[in-house]
Amino acid sequence: MEHTAKNTVIGFIGTGIMGNSMAGHLLGAGFPLHVYSRTKSKAEELLSRGAVWHESPASLAEQSNVIITMVGFPSDVEEIYLGDSGIINHAKPHSYLIDMTTSSPSLAQRIEKAAAEKGLFSLDAPVSGGDVGAREAKLSIMVGGLLETFDAMLPILNIMGSNVVYQGSAGAGQYTKMCNQIAIASNMMGVCEALAYAQKAGLDPNTVLKSIESGAAGSRSLSGLAPRIINGDYAPGFYVKHFIKDMNIALQSAKEMNLDLPSLSLARSLYERLVEMGEEDSGTQALFKVINRHSSS
Amino acid sequence: MEHTAKNTVIGFIGTGIMGNSMAGHLLGAGFPLHVYSRTKSKAEELLSRGAVWHESPASLAEQSNVIITMVGFPSDVEEIYLGDSGIINHAKPHSYLIDMTTSSPSLAQRIEKAAAEKGLFSLDAPVSGGDVGAREAKLSIMVGGLLETFDAMLPILNIMGSNVVYQGSAGAGQYTKMCNQIAIASNMMGVCEALAYAQKAGLDPNTVLKSIESGAAGSRSLSGLAPRIINGDYAPGFYVKHFIKDMNIALQSAKEMNLDLPSLSLARSLYERLVEMGEEDSGTQALFKVINRHSSS
């Protein structure tokens, strides 16, 4: 069955900053939208545009054909999918379940197994691109699960993202998202150390960027976040506390695969120091404060 | 005095892969060119195009108005500039000295001081852009020294580079190049760890790149070197042994400034392990082999 706005009810769980924009695009595309969120006020805008409110994930699941989740932590994902009053116990047969939360690959595999036993189809489909990507429907969406399930859901995923890529079996979406976070974590250390060094050496960091950002040291973090650091702007594009969550997932899954990631381990320890400094609600670029503190003069 | 091809003899010391291309552009611009290199055969092409060979830096210095050096290690720079039969003891008064080797900031400061005492003008002007940047005259050149000296030499530097930036007083060029290397070192760890994780997770790394290289994890190293790693291509764009030299300079200068760089320290230790594996003549992307070895299954 092709999933069009005419025959598909979408249930969306988790209408935070990201989820709100993503669900809004589905509503805009004409899909009947049912929503649940831990904090109802965060769904108000969607409700005013015609979305239907539910008091529980179970109630939402019972009335949807496609259920999309965008929540916080793996523990939330686990409860919402696998809990007694969770999605899998309450979804209609043949429903599609798409978890877009950044969560653990092994949990995604457990969800798929539990879903399949009930005749449900599931995908793990975490995103990158942040609040701006969500707002502009330009997310990168990394998808794991059965290829047929991916094909069936692609038209819906394309409404929220501009780079929707099938990565393999259940968990592959989450594994891919972890690759993304692993690359970012070390690069952020490099950007912060380069800036701390520049400052200590008495250089003008903006002039340094003119020399280095278009060359081999060039990166999205260097061009996007170094200017914020230079301006003392530590407002969150991406929260420190969420980045630590992701690094924990990556390190746990790496451990399960017998893979040692020394640089990611170092990054996590430096970010934990940042939390001790009271910066968990800052943006990830605040790592600069830890590096700079290493300076002893 | 404006330095044009009509009134300026350029002496170029160090005609390796980089120096050969750089000196070739100066010759092409019409400057009388004198050359010295440790291995004469590496200068043959320039000699065949009309460059004048010298048997020693001293002899070259005595006949040049502008002396450019592009050699290997800080110890080479020190000897060529400050040794008894070095440039500073033999250059004509009012000569200009430009060291384009990646070398130590404090050595650049010592050279400037010694040069000034003899009425000579000096710049530290290391480059990035590699062999391709040198060949295409598209180097990024980061310059430290007196602003008037920079202004006088800018027309000559512009013949070799497309992004020539004045960074500040003596040593500032080297400090800036270190910022570049510091940013690259950590990013390389992130790229290698992300790829090792992808491989362990059974993902197709090329498909992973499709998801992550245009987003927040995007970088020149990810787009440029990850594909080589995936193809098992460890040929040197930039040698491991030279990168270690640069990291040593960066860490030494950071220490002099009381700045601790934990991520760069980790990168150096991993690259040292790579040398123990016999990979010092591989390209920097060979770091993947160390990360992959950390895997114990």
Side-chain angles (χ1 to χ4, degrees):
Chain A
M1 186 178 86
E2 198 187 342
H3 288 271
T4 67
K6 288 195 182 132
N7 60 22
T8 304
V9 174
I10 298 181
F12 203 107
I13 295 176
T15 54
I17 293 176
M18 300 287 291
N20 202 57
S21 293
M22 294 156 72
H25 295 308
L26 299 171
L27 203 53
F31 285 94
L33 189 77
H34 290 225
V35 297
Y36 167 77
S37 208
R38 210 155 42 188
T39 311
K40 188 176 178 182
S41 61
K42 291 189 179 169
E44 287 302 349
E45 198 207 323
L46 293 166
L47 299 180
S48 75
R49 290 173 61 194
V52 179
W53 175 255
H54 287 266
E55 289 294 337
S56 72
S59 156
L60 175 143
E62 284 161 3
Q63 299 197 30
S64 307
N65 308 112
V66 172
I67 299 156
I68 299 174
T69 51
M70 187 69 181
V71 297
F73 288 79
S75 55
D76 302 318
V77 173
E78 183 161 14
E79 191 196 335
I80 285 172
Y81 278 90
L82 302 173
D84 286 341
S85 49
I87 294 168
I88 290 180
N89 267 340
H90 292 270
K92 295 187 282 193
H94 310 302
S95 292
Y96 287 81
L97 320 178
I98 310 175
D99 182 29
M100 304 186 76
T101 316
T102 295
S103 174
S104 118
S106 59
L107 177 56
Q109 291 160 351
R110 282 167 53 213
I111 288 172
E112 189 195 48
K113 195 159 175 286
E117 285 168 4
K118 297 268 187 163
L120 306 167
F121 309 106
S122 78
L123 295 175
D124 50 294
V127 308
S128 78
D131 52 345
V132 175
R135 202 160 54 233
E136 298 178 352
K138 288 187 178 158
L139 293 169
S140 174
I141 305 179
M142 313 155 213
V143 191
L146 292 177
L147 183 56
E148 302 77 45
T149 308
F150 172 78
D151 287 339
M153 291 296 103
L154 186 56
I156 288 174
L157 294 172
N158 275 332
I159 294 168
M160 298 177 282
S162 59
N163 185 31
V164 182
V165 180
Y166 180 70
Q167 292 289 351
S169 60
Q174 298 297 353
Y175 280 127
T176 303
K177 178 65 188 280
M178 290 303 119
C179 292
N180 190 69
Q181 305 305 72
I182 291 166
I184 289 173
S186 291
N187 194 25
M188 192 68 68
M189 293 195 291
V191 168
C192 292
E193 290 193 355
L195 286 177
Y197 182 96
Q199 188 173 298
K200 268 285 190 184
L203 302 174
D204 175 340
N206 284 308
T207 308
V208 171
L209 287 183
K210 266 165 71 176
S211 277
I212 74 173
E213 77 176 338
S214 61
S219 69
R220 288 284 287 259
S221 293
L222 189 66
S223 294
L225 295 177
R228 296 196 203 176
I229 295 169
I230 293 167
N231 293 326
D233 171 8
Y234 300 110
F238 188 56
Y239 283 109
V240 165
K241 61 187 174 190
H242 292 158
F243 198 33
I244 290 177
K245 172 199 82 163
D246 294 355
M247 289 189 280
N248 283 333
I249 295 169
L251 285 166
Q252 175 59 35
S253 54
K255 195 175 167 192
E256 289 160 10
M257 301 188 288
N258 287 314
L259 177 66
D260 193 12
L261 299 175
S263 185
L264 184 63
S265 300
L266 174 63
R268 179 174 63 176
S269 73
L270 295 177
Y271 271 102
E272 281 170 349
R273 220 171 297 172
L274 192 57
V275 171
E276 287 163 19
M277 290 163 66
E279 300 278 349
E280 66 172 5
D281 290 323
S282 295
T284 52
Q285 72 274 21
L287 183 66
F288 178 74
K289 296 185 181 187
V290 175
I291 303 298
N292 216 31
R293 217 193 193 188
H294 265 271
S295 152
S296 53
S297 91
Chain B
M1 186 179 90
E2 198 187 344
H3 288 271
T4 68
K6 289 194 178 130
N7 60 22
T8 305
V9 174
I10 298 180
F12 203 106
I13 296 176
T15 55
I17 293 176
M18 299 287 293
N20 202 56
S21 292
M22 293 156 72
H25 295 308
L26 299 171
L27 203 54
F31 285 94
L33 189 78
H34 290 225
V35 297
Y36 167 78
S37 208
R38 208 153 47 187
T39 312
K40 186 176 179 182
S41 61
K42 292 188 178 170
E44 287 302 348
E45 197 207 322
L46 293 166
L47 299 179
S48 74
R49 291 173 61 195
V52 179
W53 175 253
H54 287 265
E55 289 293 337
S56 72
S59 154
L60 174 142
E62 285 159 2
Q63 299 197 31
S64 306
N65 308 109
V66 173
I67 299 155
I68 299 175
T69 50
M70 186 68 180
V71 298
F73 288 79
S75 54
D76 302 319
V77 173
E78 183 162 13
E79 192 194 333
I80 286 173
Y81 278 90
L82 302 173
D84 286 341
S85 48
I87 294 168
I88 290 178
N89 267 339
H90 292 270
K92 296 187 281 194
H94 311 300
S95 291
Y96 286 82
L97 320 179
I98 310 176
D99 182 28
M100 304 187 76
T101 315
T102 294
S103 175
S104 119
S106 58
L107 177 56
Q109 291 160 350
R110 283 168 52 211
I111 288 172
E112 190 196 48
K113 193 158 177 286
E117 284 168 3
K118 296 269 188 159
L120 306 168
F121 310 105
S122 78
L123 295 175
D124 49 297
V127 308
S128 79
D131 52 346
V132 175
R135 201 161 55 234
E136 298 178 353
K138 288 187 177 158
L139 293 170
S140 175
I141 306 179
M142 311 154 216
V143 191
L146 292 176
L147 183 57
E148 303 75 50
T149 308
F150 171 78
D151 287 339
M153 290 296 103
L154 186 57
I156 289 175
L157 294 172
N158 275 332
I159 294 169
M160 298 177 281
S162 59
N163 185 32
V164 182
V165 180
Y166 179 70
Q167 293 289 349
S169 60
Q174 299 296 352
Y175 279 127
T176 302
K177 177 67 186 281
M178 289 304 120
C179 292
N180 190 70
Q181 305 305 72
I182 290 166
I184 289 173
S186 292
N187 194 25
M188 192 68 69
M189 293 195 291
V191 167
C192 291
E193 290 194 354
L195 286 176
Y197 182 97
Q199 187 171 298
K200 267 285 189 181
L203 302 174
D204 176 339
N206 284 308
T207 309
V208 170
L209 286 183
K210 265 166 70 177
S211 278
I212 74 173
E213 76 177 338
S214 60
S219 69
R220 289 284 287 258
S221 293
L222 189 67
S223 294
L225 296 177
R228 295 196 203 176
I229 294 169
I230 293 168
N231 293 327
D233 172 8
Y234 299 109
F238 187 58
Y239 283 109
V240 165
K241 61 187 174 190
H242 292 157
F243 197 34
I244 290 178
K245 172 199 81 165
D246 294 354
M247 289 189 280
N248 283 333
I249 295 169
L251 285 165
Q252 175 60 35
S253 53
K255 196 176 166 191
E256 289 161 8
M257 303 189 286
N258 287 314
L259 178 65
D260 192 14
L261 299 175
S263 186
L264 183 63
S265 299
L266 174 63
R268 179 174 64 176
S269 74
L270 295 176
Y271 271 102
E272 281 171 349
R273 219 171 298 170
L274 192 57
V275 171
E276 287 163 18
M277 289 162 66
E279 299 280 348
E280 65 172 8
D281 290 324
S282 295
T284 52
Q285 72 274 21
L287 182 67
F288 178 74
K289 296 186 181 186
V290 175
I291 302 297
N292 215 30
R293 219 195 194 187
H294 264 272
S295 154
S296 54
S297 91

